[in-house]
Amino acid sequence: MITLTENAVAAVRTALSQAEEPAEGLRIKVEGGGCAGLKYLMGLESLAREGDAIIETGGVRVFVDVSSQLHVAGMTVDFVTSFESSGFVFDNPNGREKCACGKSFG
């Protein structure tokens, strides 16, 4: 359903190891908003919820709720670092259009 690159796995591992509260994995969610209509939300999560898809890759667990699963099927998540910024980058084949920030799609 979702592929994480080696850089993304390393970034999630770092976030999990530095979390103030115990966390089991990363939640990726899609909800309405952003300049292209839908936006990604990410955060550390302590437990899976009912209906979640659980993707395990490189020792990292990713939780995706039922309503987001169709929007992220086939998506690749990377983590990039550059002079301008660093962060997660989403390559989502389900988005017809993308906004310039890369955090929103439609």
Side-chain angles (χ1 to χ4, degrees), residues 59-79:
V60 169
R61 296 173 80 191
V62 178
F63 306 113
V64 182
D65 65 277
V66 172
S67 62
S68 299
Q69 291 173 17
L70 289 175
H71 296 294
V72 300
M75 181 170 78
T76 298
V77 181
D78 194 8
F79 187 86

Side-chain angles (χ1 to χ4, degrees), residues 17-105:
S17 70
Q18 296 175 354
E20 291 180 20
E21 301 287 326
E24 292 292 319
L26 176 72
R27 177 165 299 280
I28 297 178
K29 182 176 175 78
V30 174
E31 65 178 35
C35 41
L38 296 170
K39 64 182 177 181
Y40 301 107
L41 298 175
M42 298 176 68
L44 299 181
E45 189 74 43
S46 58
L47 295 171
R49 299 178 191 168
E50 186 175 333
D52 278 352
I54 303 171
I55 299 99
E56 294 195 36
T57 181
V60 169
R61 296 173 80 191
V62 178
F63 306 113
V64 182
D65 65 277
V66 172
S67 62
S68 299
Q69 291 173 17
L70 289 175
H71 296 294
V72 300
M75 181 170 78
T76 298
V77 181
D78 194 8
F79 187 86
V80 297
T81 303
S82 69
F83 286 121
E84 295 86 30
S85 65
S86 62
F88 289 96
V89 176
F90 306 94
D91 182 11
N92 190 341
N94 302 302
R96 293 181 312 277
E97 52 185 272
K98 239 190 243 188
C99 77
C101 73
K103 307 293 185 212
S104 176
F105 68 101

